Amino acid sequence: MKSCFPDYYAVEQEHGSLTKGFFNVKSTAFDNYSDLEIKIIQAGGMYTFKNGLSTLPEAIADKMWKHIKYNSYIQSIEQDSSKNLTLTISENGKTKQIKASKVISCIPSYELAPLVDSHNSELSDKLKSIDFVDMATINIAKDRTPLASQPAFGYLVTPSLEESILGVTFDSQVMPDMNNLYWGKYTVMMGGDVNAKSKEINQLIQDNNTEEIENIAKSYLEDHINVKNPDYVRTNLLKNGIPKYSVGHSDRINQIENLLGEHVPNLYIAGQSYGGVGINNVIKTTELIVDDIFPPKEDKKEPTETTKSPQQE
């Protein structure tokens, strides 16, 4: 709970319950959040854009296209005697170097691990110990479905039932403003690491067996909520798609940050591997890191009538 949903954990710890905390906007758990962010958290953290969440990275790319390197990957991270860093990258097949005083790594922990092994093997091992699991999301839409008008978020399937799906969200209800009144839209979630069935699904994901995964998803929707013969199906296979925060994750992250401070002090970590898997968590933790590296400038206040400068004394 502490690692997967840090916002909720902080609220629960301060107020004794999530319900009390969410109705108390003066909670210290919200100190680093804007009014809009608080409203999103209190609403359950569900939000999107008219044209989908890809709107956000596309807007960033439009604004910062001169500084983005596409078709590139990092080959190594070197550190000089002044603790400055040199990144060796492959960009469109050509090797280049980038020198930096600070680096924020947002790549998955298992990708960063080999890049820091030369600096400290324990740090590398800690990063490798953060497990990731495969996931599949199947978007299904059906015209004229009666469930489209029923208010509900969806449902989760308890692991003890040994089912092949993790749960279903009713997208047409979660985001009603983006939905045609008569369409029922659903997302079936599969994979993870919860039981023997999920491991079978993971093998299908590794085999890129989209057809079988879609057949399983459609059969569950028909059995569970009587949605038959959908008009639209789209599947996303996410290999190593989401980190699995095991018990002791927050302690592990503290150890990683301590090792970074000791061996590579100008390398910072952000992203879903560490401080929350949701988009809102990733954005917030990265914002806090940037504010730590480049503290916001405080507005200079003009002297008032009751305030005298040293020259006025």
Side-chain angles (χ1 to χ4, degrees), residues 58-308:
E58 288 170 358
I60 294 173
D62 287 343
K63 183 145 182 96
M64 303 188 65
W65 62 272
K66 290 183 179 180
H67 306 285
I68 297 176
K69 296 185 177 296
Y70 295 96
N71 303 312
S72 305
Y73 67 91
I74 302 176
Q75 295 178 326
S76 66
I77 300 176
E78 303 298 330
Q79 181 176 243
D80 63 22
S81 58
S82 299
K83 306 299 182 182
N84 292 318
L85 300 170
T86 299
L87 308 182
T88 300
I89 68 170
S90 175
E91 181 182 1
N92 295 314
K94 297 181 179 180
T95 300
K96 296 183 178 181
Q97 289 189 329
I98 300 175
K99 296 185 181 296
S101 59
K102 308 283 184 181
V103 172
I104 302 175
S105 171
C106 298
I107 60 178
S109 55
Y110 59 82
E111 296 281 4
L112 179 61
L115 298 174
V116 299
D117 187 60
S118 61
H119 301 287
N120 183 262
S121 59
E122 183 183 1
L123 171 60
S124 179
D125 290 341
K126 292 289 183 184
L127 289 166
K128 292 176 184 176
S129 69
I130 301 174
D131 293 327
F132 276 68
V133 295
D134 300 330
M135 292 287 294
T137 58
I138 304 89
N139 304 115
I140 295 177
K142 173 69 175 177
D143 192 12
R144 304 289 170 174
T145 175
L147 190 64
S149 62
Q150 300 300 314
F153 174 84
Y155 61 91
L156 297 176
V157 178
T158 179
S160 61
L161 294 177
E162 292 285 333
E163 301 280 19
S164 295
I165 69 171
L166 301 173
V168 179
T169 58
F170 300 163
D171 301 338
S172 46
Q173 293 299 320
V174 176
M175 304 295 174
D177 293 340
M178 300 177 63
N179 186 61
N180 182 296
L181 179 63
Y182 299 104
W183 277 79
K185 298 178 182 178
Y186 317 89
T187 296
V188 182
M189 297 168 286
M190 304 169 69
D193 184 21
V194 296
N195 53 40
K197 288 285 188 179
S198 65
K199 293 180 180 179
E200 293 175 6
I201 296 299
N202 289 341
Q203 188 57 56
L204 294 175
I205 294 172
Q206 289 296 321
D207 295 340
N208 296 313
N209 195 337
T210 301
E211 182 179 0
E212 181 61 20
I213 288 174
E214 290 180 352
N215 288 336
I216 293 172
K218 289 186 289 186
S219 70
Y220 271 98
L221 273 191
E222 181 174 346
D223 291 343
H224 288 178
I225 55 177
N226 198 32
V227 174
K228 303 177 182 178
N229 304 316
D231 297 295
Y232 174 86
V233 180
R234 183 183 68 180
T235 297
N236 293 301
L237 304 182
L238 311 171
K239 298 176 181 177
N240 285 332
I242 190 169
K244 185 180 73 173
Y245 292 172
S246 57
V247 175
H249 180 78
S250 59
D251 291 336
R252 186 179 301 112
I253 299 308
N254 288 335
Q255 293 168 1
I256 289 172
E257 290 178 337
N258 289 336
L259 288 169
L260 280 170
E262 182 179 352
H263 299 282
V264 201
N266 290 320
L267 175 61
Y268 300 80
I269 52 174
Q272 67 170 183
S273 299
Y274 312 105
V277 299
I279 293 176
N280 53 323
N281 299 126
V282 172
I283 293 174
K284 174 52 62 176
T285 54
T286 306
E287 180 186 23
L288 294 175
I289 290 172
V290 172
D291 286 345
D292 182 54
I293 298 174
F294 306 105
K297 295 181 180 180
E298 295 184 2
D299 294 333
K300 293 183 179 180
K301 297 182 179 180
E302 295 294 332
T304 64
E305 294 181 1
T306 58
T307 303
K308 295 183 179 180

